[in-house]
Amino acid sequence: MDMVVKTSHIPEPGETVLGGSFFMNPGGKGANQAVAVARLGGNVSFIGKIGDDIFGKQSSQLFDEEGVDTNGILSDRDSPSGIALITVDSEGENSIVVAPGANAHLEPSDVEKALDKYTDSRVLLVQLEIPMRTVEFAAQYARNKGMQVILNPAPANDLVQDLFHLIDIITPNVHEAEMLSGVQIVDIPTARQAAEVIHAQGVKHVIVTLGKQGAALLENGVFYHIPAPEVKTVDSTAAGDVFNGALAVAVAEGKILTDATTFACRAASIAVTKMGAQSSIPFRNEVLLSSMK
């Protein structure tokens, strides 16, 4: 569950800021990505853990309403559902602290039971709000079954490089790409340089998301800059999750990677024009209509 406060600016350490509007919105990176896949036309199953509490029950109900297969969602009586504390400034930029709750106890054995039901899946999309051992197991399982593996390395950590040989597509944002590559990104050429460093470590395709500048795509060593539509940013909270969900849909449909990345940029650009996480996720017809403008 996302707990969001709008304020003039994100506070510095030790600073107290009087905020404006507050609201709660279902969130979580995996959940946002699953809902994005469903709204954008994909057939999606979500694997995760929720607490036996009001937030968990509400999330499960909303997944059903969105058409997300919830057979892979487990309930943990001993842990609360995950929460995120989010501050959004006047420019739409955000600062987020996540307490994973039950997701911190999602084990490889849990994932194995769930994935055994989805052997005909084309894409596994995974992020890092669950234990790394579970991420690694899921990626290896998917590779063994012939699925394409997309890793959204968020929140980034020092262990993610150990997974690179299992990943088909990695989608870091600027901060994550800097951490994974050691390259400071200040423009498109440095984004390309960071992508090349990550690619050299074993990932087939690297997509660095650049916010208003779109995305830097390195496909088998060939570089493309995919621009994003110009929009007024209201809240960037779920933009990365929408990008990843849209990318997964396009890849599963067999689109070439440049077209898949363009589709993902368009979907994310719509999301930033709305407040909230799942409430901001666009439907497929919105993205298709935006491409005609």
Side-chain angles (χ1 to χ4, degrees):
M1 186 64 65
D2 291 343
M3 301 182 184
V4 185
V5 176
K6 285 277 286 185
T7 186
S8 60
H9 65 280
I10 295 170
E12 299 289 336
E15 179 185 12
T16 298
V17 176
L18 188 63
S21 58
F22 166 79
F23 63 94
M24 292 193 298
N25 185 51
K29 296 195 69 62
N32 295 342
Q33 291 165 10
V35 171
V37 172
R39 290 190 183 181
L40 294 168
N43 184 12
V44 60
S45 302
F46 180 50
I47 300 171
K49 264 191 178 177
I50 54 176
D52 185 21
D53 52 30
I54 186 63
F55 291 160
K57 291 178 174 65
Q58 183 177 4
S59 296
S60 185
Q61 178 183 342
L62 290 171
F63 290 138
D64 288 334
E65 294 173 359
E66 293 285 354
V68 175
D69 180 355
T70 58
N71 286 321
I73 298 181
L74 304 174
S75 180
D76 186 339
R77 291 183 176 274
D78 299 322
S79 303
S81 296
I83 64 164
L85 306 178
I86 303 175
T87 304
V88 181
D89 70 15
S90 59
E91 299 298 318
E93 294 298 326
N94 62 56
S95 177
I96 305 175
V97 177
V98 174
N103 272 313
H105 304 287
L106 184 69
E107 299 295 333
S109 58
D110 299 325
V111 172
E112 184 174 20
K113 292 174 185 176
L115 283 175
D116 281 342
K117 305 172 186 176
Y118 308 125
T119 53
D120 60 344
S121 297
R122 296 181 181 177
V123 173
L124 174 75
L125 172 59
V126 64
Q127 36 66 35
L128 304 181
E129 286 182 349
I130 58 176
M132 288 299 293
R133 62 183 180 277
T134 307
V135 175
E136 182 174 10
F137 174 85
Q140 185 65 70
Y141 182 104
R143 286 295 294 270
N144 292 344
K145 297 294 183 180
M147 303 180 202
Q148 291 201 66
V149 180
I150 302 175
L151 173 65
N152 176 216
N157 63 57
D158 294 334
L159 301 176
V160 70
Q161 282 94 338
D162 296 339
L163 304 177
F164 281 178
H165 66 288
L166 300 173
I167 306 305
D168 294 291
I169 306 170
I170 193 168
T171 59
N173 63 18
V174 168
H175 171 73
E176 294 149 5
E178 289 180 340
M179 180 176 174
L180 295 173
S181 68
V183 176
Q184 184 178 7
I185 299 174
V186 296
D187 52 20
I188 303 302
T190 50
R192 175 178 182 170
Q193 184 182 353
E196 288 172 342
V197 171
I198 296 169
H199 172 64
Q201 296 178 63
V203 182
K204 291 181 184 177
H205 313 302
V206 182
I207 304 174
V208 181
T209 57
L210 302 171
K212 295 177 181 179
Q213 291 184 290
L217 165 63
L218 194 70
E219 182 180 10
N220 279 325
V222 180
F223 180 77
Y224 305 89
H225 173 226
I226 310 295
E230 291 187 17
V231 297
K232 178 174 175 53
T233 299
V234 174
D235 178 9
S236 62
T237 298
D241 297 331
V242 172
F243 181 96
N244 280 276
L247 181 72
V249 170
V251 169
E253 291 176 351
K255 287 184 170 62
I256 62 173
L257 204 47
T258 49
D259 288 349
T261 306
T262 298
F263 179 73
C265 283
R266 289 190 176 280
S269 71
I270 295 172
V272 301
T273 65
K274 309 174 188 179
M275 279 295 296
Q278 288 174 29
S279 58
S280 74
I281 298 172
F283 290 85
R284 190 180 184 103
N285 64 329
E286 293 179 76
V287 181
L288 296 178
L289 285 172
S290 74
S291 67
M292 299 177 185
K293 295 179 181 179

